[in-house]
Amino acid sequence: MKEIKIETQLTIFDSINELDKEVKELMEKAIEARKNAYAPYSKFNVGAALLLENGQTVIGSNQENAAYPSGLCAERVAVFHAGAVFPNTRILKIAITAGSTLTATTKPIPPCGSCRQSLFEYEFKQDSGIEVYFMGETGEVYKSDSIQNLLPLTFDKNFL
Ligand code: THU
C-alpha cells in the first residue's frame, strides 16, 4: 500500500482592486453579467466572464428552471457559448462572482464540480491552462493558475 498527497496552490487578493487592469476589467464584466442571472428559485446570482486569446470576452450567468436540474450554472453558460461562437480560440482566463439576494456574500465562491469538469474539457483540448479568478460580491479574490489545479485526478478523453 502507498499513499499519495495531492496539493493545490491558490493566490489570494484582498479585493478586486489588487487585480491587474486586465483581470479587474474581466471581473467587472462578470459582475455586470451577474445582474442578468435568472435565479428566482435559489436567489443566488452568479456571473462569469471569459477572456479569449483573440481579445474577445464571453459572458454567462446562471439560468434556472422550474424543473430545477434543467437550469445551468453561469460558468457553463459562458464556456459553452465560447465553444459555440469561437470553437478554435483559446480561453485564457475566467472571472466568476456570486451573490445571494438573501445574505451578503463576502467569501470567494468557487465553481462547482460540474463546471470544473466542463471547463477542464476546454483546457485539455487547448493544451494550456485557463486562469480562474473567483469571488463573492465583495472581498477577497482567489486565483488558480488552471482548472486542473482545482480538479485533481481529472477525467479526460484518454480514459475512453
Ligand atoms: N451556480 C452557478 O452558477 N455556478 C456554480 O459554480 C455554483 C452554482 C448556480 C446554480 C444555481 O442557479 C445557483 O447557483 C444555486 O446553486
Side-chain angles (χ1 to χ4, degrees):
M1 197 203 64
K2 63 179 177 186
E3 291 180 335
I4 56 165
K5 190 170 171 183
I6 299 173
E7 290 186 331
T8 197
Q9 189 170 335
L10 296 171
T11 307
I12 301 177
F13 299 90
D14 285 342
S15 81
I16 187 173
N17 296 321
E18 241 186 45
L19 300 171
D20 68 42
K21 188 170 173 285
E22 182 180 72
V23 177
K24 189 177 177 197
E25 283 173 11
L26 192 65
M27 187 59 86
E28 283 165 351
K29 287 184 179 162
I31 292 168
E32 273 305 301
R34 199 180 71 214
K35 295 179 186 158
N36 291 337
Y38 175 61
Y41 307 106
S42 71
K43 319 276 189 217
F44 194 73
N45 300 322
V46 186
L50 299 173
L51 178 65
L52 310 186
E53 95 183 316
N54 64 4
Q56 293 270 354
T57 306
V58 176
I59 56 156
S61 55
N62 53 327
Q63 300 296 317
E64 297 187 347
N65 193 283
Y68 289 6
S70 299
L72 199 61
C73 292
E75 298 89 326
R76 274 177 286 166
V77 169
V79 79
F80 294 157
H81 185 191
V85 181
F86 301 106
N88 298 312
T89 308
R90 275 178 211 234
I91 302 165
L92 304 180
K93 302 173 191 202
I94 179 169
I96 305 160
T97 169
S100 169
T101 56
L102 305 176
T103 53
T105 311
T106 54
K107 292 211 169 85
I109 306 295
C112 78
S114 294
C115 287
R116 294 181 207 193
Q117 180 66 35
S118 295
L119 287 160
F120 180 70
E121 182 73 21
Y122 297 88
E123 185 169 279
F124 190 82
K125 178 177 163 237
Q126 70 185 30
D127 196 24
S128 63
I130 300 173
E131 289 181 13
V132 189
Y133 296 83
F134 55 93
M135 64 179 294
E137 273 176 286
T138 56
E140 290 180 334
V141 182
Y142 282 12
K143 176 198 173 190
S144 168
D145 287 335
S146 66
I147 302 294
Q148 183 152 41
N149 187 39
L150 293 176
L151 190 67
L153 303 178
T154 33
F155 181 79
D156 63 57
K157 70 185 176 83
N158 291 338
F159 292 110
L160 297 174

